[in-house]
Amino acid sequence: MQRTYEELQPFQEILERLDDTSKSRSRKKVNALDKRIKKKLEGFEDWLEYVVSQQILAQLESPARNVVSIDLQCLYDDVRALFQVRRLMEKEYVYELRNMAEDEGPIRFGGTKSKMMGLHDQLEQVKNDLDGDFDRKLVCALVGMGGVGKTTLANEIFEDPRILSKYEHRAWVTVSRKPQKIVELSRGIVAQLVEGGKEMDEKEIVLELEGKKCLVVLDDVWERKILSSLIGSLPSVGNILVLVTARERDVVENITSERSGLNITVVRFLNEEESKDLLCHKVFGDEICPSRLDKAATKIAKKCEGLPLMIVTVADILSESRNKDPSYWDDVAEGRNSAFTDAYDQISKVLFPSYDYLPQYLKMPFLFMGVCSPHNDIPTSKLVNTVSAEGWFLHTNERRALEVSVWHCLEKLRFNKNLLLLNGKSISRDEKIGGCKYKSCRLHSAWWQLCRREGRKNKFYHVLNTLSDASKTYVKGQRCLCLQNNILFGFKGFCKSVRLNCASTARSLLFFGPYHQYPTPIDVGFRLLRELDALKLRFYNFPTEILTLVQLKFLALTCNGELPAAISKLFNLRVLIIHPHINITCIRAPSYIPIQIWNIEELEHIEILGKSLVAPRRFASLGKLSTLLGVNATSICNILDLSSRIPNIKKLGVRIELTPYDDHNDLLSRFSCISTLESLETLKCSIINPTVRYSSIVPATPSSLMLPRNLKKLHLSGMGFPWEYMDVIGSLQSLKVLKLRSYAFRGSHWETRKDSFSTLDFLLIEDSDLVQWIPRSGSFPMLSYLSMKHCYKLVEIHWSSLSKLGKIELVDCNPLALNFSSQLEPTPCAHLDGTATSYFDETPVTDELRSHEGPMPRQWVDAPSEPVFIVEPEQSYTTFSTSLFIVSVILLLGCLLKLGMMT
């Protein structure tokens, strides 16, 4: 098996060569060959894991066996056959890569005739950029998702009277994914710039254009190499401005030299008002939308999520139907007919190349976004856990390295490829990943449809909503089943189809439908599952049939019963999440996590709410554990040598369950115990059902509070500490995020110490009796986001020290605090956004707060809605589709070799 491991590893490097091929090359033959390779590897992987699972299960039944051994001699002939097939397919794959046909499209000159609706702010900004004086070659780029309106915006600029009066010579060429030769494109550009330019030599052309401003539009550029060649082929004069449209930021970034400049504008989505205007213009022309259709038109426009291509396509369907019946429009708005489905199918032809030509390592996380419902955010922590369970990235098994890899993929998809929407409301900056972290991400609904279709076609995952989705055509050989109707397993026909067609191949079973509070049987023959996410199902007791899934790496359940001691049979587990159905606190003996949990050495993430964790007397540690959430704080602090038991813990969330009759004075001792965890970066500590007392419940001695010195994020809730204790928190040199909820600190006055909170970036104070806050000189020098919610007594904040503040959010605070904007002292080029919402009146009132002086910095205009910083990862990634299965086989073989389990 060592030879098998070594034989398969180089194969992924061959598959990665596809990323280096031009986007104008046809991939049909290569993709077809990829599916054949994938099918062969699937068969070997299934057989290998079946043999391993059967031998492990047989030995686990014997209580006398402490060591599991695996005999893989029965796979000898299969391995030899795999070698032979691999070599043949490798040669065929390399041949196809070298002989990929190149598609060529017709040269198209001149702009489009589409009328632009919306985007007037970006139109003015780009026109201002083009309106300035320059004596060098300048490149302006419009980048964004396919169909977002880049070409229409460029054409509006190209035909604008102000631009026409400034630029004496203009040229437009549509490059496209399948461009003609650079020479032909260059000749077409010159012919538009100079009359008779085709017959003129270079010197004559330069003389003709010298001292005259030229505008050249290069529309729909897909490759940096082509863009660089086109810019280099332009006449050698310093007064040419090049306006580029491209889907990917990668194409235009770093394209210019020291003697030229580059401005990049990310074309935004239309807002709801602009979307409705465009829809109505396409359907009714210059006429006004009839009042009887106005409400439905608003819903339809909103459902298009600001994508002009989607709006125009739906408008065409509405126009072709010639149906102005309100009931028909209501059906379209509510998705009760095929209008939106037909529109998604039509625009997928435009969007698909953006997916097809993605680097292979980005395709897996991108496709996975389709498993959740549309318009729902996917927690990025969920994606990290899935990566850990599935082994998508081969370069490391270390948790932190996996997180970094996932973040690089997400930022690449969002920032460089413009395919992903990230939740910018919850941001923290992380130097190790070289950028920002987001709590959640999602797809535009148009991409969501495409991802689901491609996921099913590639046997990556299949989403089930109805019984018809379980037909043999759909489920045969699927590796992942995602249920958005959780009661499907209650139907015999459904279970029979799953058992016959994919139970032996499925590696993931995900229940993402509405919460179902009655138990549903799921034991339909799954034996090779790696991931089972059943948080949306309720189990009265822990389902013992799960204990036979020895390949399981991710397990999430909702269960009020006790965990069995036999949980240690799942020795491959990396993620264990157990939530209770209903949180009921009663006077009884505490509920414990079985002590056998310490035998699962691969665990990286434990999330078990409301239970106590104890350690065995013999020394045992969970060396890979990085996240521990929801456990009882008292039990944690009773573990001797805590820092040695969980030496690599990064995130800890503990619960303190107190009644009004309990003694609160031992709170500080619990923090003292946690402070020994030097690896800890995130601490969440909350008192369940806190009781607010009129007097301080702890002595006002700040040094009594002890915290891990390397904390980056701190969340406290219900402590009732005096504000003097904040001095200890303010001295933490790495703290970036601080969230204080439910009277975490009590008192009317908070005056921070000088030069404290030196690295804090985000501060949340929610439910507080604070009246006056005085930040001393030098404190909070890096604070950029302040959120204060339900601070009903808040009257006074001294803002003079908060020089870096860029975002303020006040929600349901004292009305006197809503007048804070007049206190701010603007600085040159300062920019401040804020919202203040008050519910003190009968109707909510929201004020948009803006403060800036001087010209608005360019980066605030050009930047996407969320600040993103990219540092290219040094690690190499595996390729998608075929190499997904190579990775699985290699990881399995590598683990077996590492554990010395092969004979």
Side-chain angles (χ1 to χ4, degrees), residues 31-154:
N31 289 340
L33 178 57
D34 185 84
K35 289 182 179 181
R36 287 170 49 204
I37 299 172
K38 174 185 170 185
K39 189 173 182 180
K40 290 291 182 182
L41 289 169
E42 281 180 343
F44 178 77
E45 182 191 35
D46 292 343
W47 179 234
L48 172 63
E49 292 195 7
Y50 174 77
V51 170
V52 171
S53 298
Q54 291 300 106
Q55 294 190 33
I56 291 174
L57 283 172
Q59 294 178 62
L60 287 178
E61 295 300 322
S62 173
R65 297 293 297 270
N66 295 324
V67 178
V68 176
S69 62
I70 306 295
D71 182 3
L72 298 180
Q73 291 298 319
C74 60
L75 295 176
Y76 182 75
D77 291 338
D78 299 273
V79 170
R80 291 187 60 186
L82 179 65
F83 287 172
Q84 185 176 4
V85 170
R86 187 201 68 79
R87 292 185 185 114
L88 292 173
M89 288 188 167
E90 177 183 331
K91 292 180 181 179
E92 189 175 354
Y93 195 87
V94 171
Y95 174 81
E96 292 296 344
L97 282 177
R98 291 174 178 172
N99 295 276
M100 295 173 70
E102 184 162 5
D103 299 327
E104 285 192 356
I107 300 179
R108 288 175 289 167
F109 298 109
T112 65
K113 300 301 180 184
S114 299
K115 181 179 179 181
M116 192 183 79
M117 305 288 290
L119 300 179
H120 295 293
D121 55 332
Q122 293 194 319
L123 173 64
E124 287 303 314
Q125 182 61 57
V126 178
K127 281 163 59 177
N128 289 336
D129 289 341
L130 272 61
D131 202 24
D133 293 325
F134 59 94
D135 57 359
R136 57 177 181 165
K137 191 176 292 183
L138 183 67
V139 177
C140 287
L142 304 176
V143 300
M145 173 180 163
V148 80
K150 302 181 295 296
T151 299
T152 303
L153 180 57

Side-chain angles (χ1 to χ4, degrees), residues 216-235:
V216 177
V217 177
L218 303 178
D219 183 38
D220 195 22
V221 182
W222 282 73
E223 296 186 63
R224 181 185 297 183
K225 181 174 66 174
I226 291 175
L227 177 59
S228 180
S229 298
L230 282 173
I231 293 176
S233 68
L234 295 176

